[in-house]
């Protein structure tokens, strides 16, 4: 099933910010590798768009429409002190999606399900001993730092002390 690309006009059922052809070109430009199989690459790109959605709480501005499928387009966003058109998809979004898609394409389970415990040792000899790494915390959610770096100019909720959302009452 081909990708449904959001172009800033609130495309119904959109599941990507970038076409497969454009994603492959961007990946090639930077030496990144998307899955060779188109169906697998499209799935990776859909997951990459989903990863962008996970960052929405930190994004500047607000959605243009309650009915849009993805986090962009957004209104009241500035990029390097210049307004971003409410009917556009910034290049940073597309780049972050492709970066995330590359990770998904490698099989990285970004949102792994876990009980939160990683065992380093178990022993049974009359009594049971279980020892966990890092007090049992696995950090099962993988942060794709390169994607966050690409998104950084569009994020306000990073608690950096300089950018923040302001709303009129």
């Amino acid at each position: 099933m081909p990708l449904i690309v959001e172009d800033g006009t609130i495309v119904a059922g959109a599941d990507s910010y970038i076409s497969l052809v454009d994603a492959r070109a961007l990946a090639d430009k930077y030496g990144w590798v998307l899955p060779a199989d188109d169906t697998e690459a499209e799935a990776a790109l859909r997951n990459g768009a989903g990863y962008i959605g996970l960052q929405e709480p930190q994004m500047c501005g607000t959605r243009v429409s309650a009915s849009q499928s993805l986090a962009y387009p957004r209104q009241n966003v500035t990029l390097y002190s210049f307004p971003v058109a409410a009917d556009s998809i910034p290049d940073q979004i597309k780049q972050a999606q492709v970066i995330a898609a590359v990770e998904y394409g490698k099989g990285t389970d970004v949102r792994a399900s876990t009980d939160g415990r990683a065992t380093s040792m178990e022993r049974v000899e009359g009594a049971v001993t279980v020892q966990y790494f890092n007090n049992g915390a696995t950090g099962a959610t993988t942060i794709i730092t390169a994607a966050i770096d690409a998104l950084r100019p569009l994020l306000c909720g990073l608690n950096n002390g300089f950018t923040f959302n302001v709303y009129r009452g």
Side-chain angles (χ1 to χ4, degrees), residues 117-122 130-134:
R117 299 181 296 172
T119 306
S120 69
M121 179 181 75
E122 287 189 33
V130 180
Q131 184 174 339
Y132 297 102
F133 289 108
N134 299 327

Side-chain angles (χ1 to χ4, degrees), residues 80-104:
Y80 307 116
S81 300
F82 295 95
V84 174
D87 63 350
S88 69
I89 308 299
D91 289 341
Q92 290 83 353
I93 296 291
K94 296 173 187 178
Q95 185 176 10
Q97 180 185 355
V98 174
I99 291 168
V102 167
E103 288 300 317
Y104 278 101

Side-chain angles (χ1 to χ4, degrees), residues 46-66:
R46 285 184 186 95
N47 285 314
Y51 188 78
I52 302 302
L54 294 174
Q55 312 315 314
E56 188 171 8
Q58 289 81 35
M59 288 182 182
C60 299
T62 58
R63 287 179 176 225
V64 172
S65 168

Side-chain angles (χ1 to χ4, degrees), residues 125-146:
E125 296 171 5
V128 176
T129 301
V130 180
Q131 184 174 339
Y132 297 102
F133 289 108
N134 299 327
N135 295 328
T138 63
T141 298
T142 301
I143 297 171
I144 305 172
T145 53

Side-chain angles (χ1 to χ4, degrees), residues 3 9 20 29 32 44 52 55 61 74 76-77 82-84 92-93 107 113 121 129 134 141-142 146 149 151 154 161:
L3 295 169
T9 61
L20 179 58
K29 177 180 175 180
W32 303 328
I52 302 302
Q55 312 315 314
R74 298 180 80 73
N76 303 315
V77 176
F82 295 95
V84 174
Q92 290 83 353
I93 296 291
S113 297
M121 179 181 75
T129 301
N134 299 327
T141 298
T142 301
D149 289 346
L151 289 174
L154 299 167

